[in-house]
Amino acid sequence: MHFEDIIAAMSDKLRDRYRVIEPLSTARDVTTLKAIDDTSGRHVVIRVLELRHITRWKAIELFEREVDALRSFDHRGVPSFVDSWVDESADGVSLGLVREWVDGIAVHDGEWAAEPIVGEDEAIGLARGVAEILAYLHSLRPPVIHRDLTPEHIIRRPDGSLTLVGFGSVRAVLPRTVGGSTFVGTSGYVAPEQLMGRAMPASDIYALGASLVALLTGLDPSSLTTDGARLQYESHLEVRDSTRRLLGAMLAPVAEDRVTSGAALLRLLDAPDASAVELALTNSPPPASVVAVVKESELHIELPTLASRDALLRRAVPIVLGLCALMTLYIGWRALTGGTKVVPLLIATAAVAIPYGWIFRTTTRRRVIRLSPDALRIDGKLFAWVSVSDVRRIDCGEKGYGLAVEVDDRLQSAMTNLELAEADWVVQQIRARLESER
């Protein structure tokens, strides 16, 4: 539809407020115009969807999703919402969206000529700027996934700050959504799981990694050969080892092996070494009392010892250990003075050593939770992902907080003596893995 027709179709009320300057695009069933908002005097972007001209019903859902997303955002790195409308006229129904005009230029919006667009340091700066925006989007509840992050949608303002546009494909991911979503995105920038309709925050990280490769090489990612689901870019890059590790962590074909969110990417950029790559693979920083390490797609979570948390054990362990020490001294004294035969001595020693060792091992070792691709293991208890419906935090009274795993509509207590922050963080990690395994 020609933009003069769009202007003519706009209601008098809208035409009185907005003066259209020029058309910007007519892609994906939506006409985009640049205009001036006479109430504020600032430039805006108007997006209009005419229902009579749509070629797919999915366009309505995507347009409404963009309106809802921009309306809820409050961050300088995304355009601010101005207005929206549903207009019914003799010509039919139209949906409209008005957002802030972002004064700046795309980091790249042209042909790829196999020549680097940016230098390595500039690329790292871009990664950090976009990561800050993604950290905000991914921190929303539910997390918001952009799903179409490309160099064309990264705008550099005159002051050097970055803004992310192109929210026509945005999606809010509910924590326990079952099933996939319709595939949207730009070829070459789309993560493997997104091709199968399963978008997650890590999908945006993949798209950002592909964008960095494109800017560093001057090559369209869709033109790079792939080995299975893996983007082949290493031979085209001449960058530092730290940058290679960064891109490797962002472009891992398996989502669970990839940097999982904008916040995780910021942590990785602060310390781009091997240990940082492992820590970045967790969705959010663990509490100080928790140790989280990723090893070959398996997340190991180590929690404080039981003896440090259980009030009864804290009182009982010193008493038991003291009695064991006294028994050991007594047996040793009897052995030295010849008052005890060898066999009874060995029996008495074993009787003391075995309970002593069991108590010491059980109460003083850190408790471990393992999230592997096939199962959840909580302190030795095994739960296959296919049988797990959910995991919940439970209030255990004097024993603090705990974890309960929902299996076949039944809750099974799996761990107690956790602090609130520990329990919430572990539940977040398990639910994220549970979602990715569905």
Side-chain angles (χ1 to χ4, degrees):
M1 189 176 186
H2 200 272
F3 86 104
E4 284 91 351
D5 297 326
I6 290 288
I7 298 173
M10 292 171 64
S11 67
D12 292 338
K13 178 181 178 180
L14 295 175
R15 277 184 284 146
D16 287 343
R17 175 173 177 178
Y18 303 107
R19 289 183 288 118
V20 176
I21 300 174
E22 60 178 329
L24 297 176
S25 71
T26 56
R28 292 182 180 175
D29 309 309
V30 178
T31 298
T32 305
L33 312 165
K34 183 179 180 181
I36 295 177
D37 182 357
D38 286 332
T39 61
S40 63
R42 63 179 178 173
H43 289 95
V44 295
V45 173
I46 300 177
R47 289 168 59 76
V48 180
L49 174 65
E50 290 279 337
L51 267 58
R52 60 180 176 151
H53 293 291
I54 64 172
T55 58
R56 51 180 184 151
W57 287 106
K58 185 69 177 178
I60 299 176
E61 178 187 345
L62 293 174
F63 192 91
E64 291 177 338
R65 192 182 290 166
E66 181 180 9
V67 173
D68 292 340
L70 290 177
R71 192 194 303 272
S72 65
F73 293 161
D74 183 18
H75 192 279
R76 190 174 187 271
V78 295
S80 60
F81 174 84
V82 176
D83 193 11
S84 67
W85 70 82
V86 177
D87 191 21
E88 298 184 15
S89 66
D91 295 325
V93 179
S94 66
L95 307 180
L97 166 66
V98 184
R99 67 161 175 84
E100 168 197 12
W101 165 261
V102 180
D103 185 18
I105 58 174
V107 295
H108 182 71
D109 185 14
E111 298 295 327
W112 298 102
E115 293 291 337
I117 307 299
V118 301
E120 185 175 355
D121 291 339
E122 185 178 355
I124 299 301
L126 285 170
R128 180 176 294 279
V130 177
E132 290 175 354
I133 302 171
L134 293 179
Y136 166 75
L137 296 176
H138 297 165
S139 71
L140 299 175
R141 292 293 177 267
V144 171
I145 318 301
H146 188 281
R147 297 204 298 174
D148 195 18
L149 201 162
T150 65
E152 179 183 355
H153 290 151
I154 304 171
I155 306 298
R156 195 193 306 273
R157 294 179 184 264
D159 64 0
S161 63
L162 301 178
T163 299
L164 196 57
V165 298
F167 283 91
S169 301
V170 72
R171 176 172 181 246
V173 178
L174 299 176
R176 296 187 60 193
T177 298
V178 178
S181 60
T182 303
F183 161 68
V184 293
T186 302
S187 177
Y189 300 91
V190 180
E193 70 276 1
Q194 191 173 332
L195 287 170
M196 297 181 287
R198 187 168 63 96
M200 58 184 67
S203 307
D204 284 343
I205 301 301
Y206 184 97
L208 177 56
S211 297
L212 296 178
V213 167
L215 294 170
L216 287 167
T217 63
L219 297 171
D220 187 338
S222 64
S223 69
L224 298 176
T225 58
T226 59
D227 177 14
R230 191 170 186 274
L231 197 66
Q232 297 292 301
Y233 61 89
E234 292 90 342
S235 62
H236 302 281
L237 283 176
E238 294 184 5
V239 293
R240 298 183 292 268
D241 289 342
S242 59
T243 302
R244 288 187 181 276
R245 287 197 300 271
L246 172 68
L247 292 173
M250 296 174 70
L251 289 167
V254 179
E256 290 71 32
D257 296 338
R258 196 182 310 142
V259 180
T260 54
S261 67
L265 180 57
L266 285 175
R267 296 196 301 274
L268 178 55
L269 288 166
D270 287 336
D273 54 29
S275 62
V277 171
E278 290 186 350
L279 290 177
L281 293 175
T282 57
N283 292 324
S284 60
S289 58
V290 177
V291 176
V293 179
V294 175
K295 298 178 180 178
E296 298 179 354
S297 299
E298 183 170 285
L299 176 60
H300 291 235
I301 302 173
E302 294 187 6
L303 296 154
T305 65
L306 195 59
S308 68
R309 292 293 169 78
D310 190 284
L312 179 60
L313 282 174
R314 282 200 301 271
R315 292 191 294 267
V317 167
I319 296 173
V320 173
L321 295 182
L323 290 174
C324 289
L326 289 175
M327 285 291 293
T328 303
L329 290 173
Y330 174 74
I331 292 170
W333 175 75
R334 295 286 290 177
L336 289 174
T337 59
T340 303
K341 294 182 179 180
V342 174
V343 173
L345 175 63
L346 292 176
I347 294 174
T349 303
V352 172
I354 291 174
Y356 176 91
W358 181 84
I359 293 173
F360 185 81
R361 180 179 183 277
T362 303
T363 60
T364 60
R365 67 181 175 86
R366 291 179 70 90
R367 294 168 291 167
V368 178
I369 297 175
R370 290 183 172 87
L371 281 65
S372 66
D374 60 335
L376 164 66
R377 294 171 176 83
I378 301 180
D379 244 6
K381 298 178 181 178
L382 179 64
F383 303 92
W385 290 119
V386 292
S387 64
V388 176
S389 302
D390 193 16
V391 63
R392 303 179 190 175
R393 183 196 74 207
I394 55 176
D395 190 339
C396 301
E398 292 184 356
K399 292 188 176 182
Y401 295 89
L403 304 176
V405 180
E406 184 178 332
V407 179
D408 299 328
D409 297 326
R410 292 185 296 109
L411 280 178
Q412 299 183 22
S413 178
M415 182 175 282
T416 60
N417 291 286
L418 299 175
E419 293 182 352
L420 179 61
E422 294 168 348
D424 284 345
W425 187 83
V426 171
V427 166
Q428 178 189 12
Q429 305 311 307
I430 296 175
R431 281 182 171 172
R433 178 60 70 100
L434 180 61
E435 169 67 19
S436 69
E437 296 302 330
R438 284 174 168 160

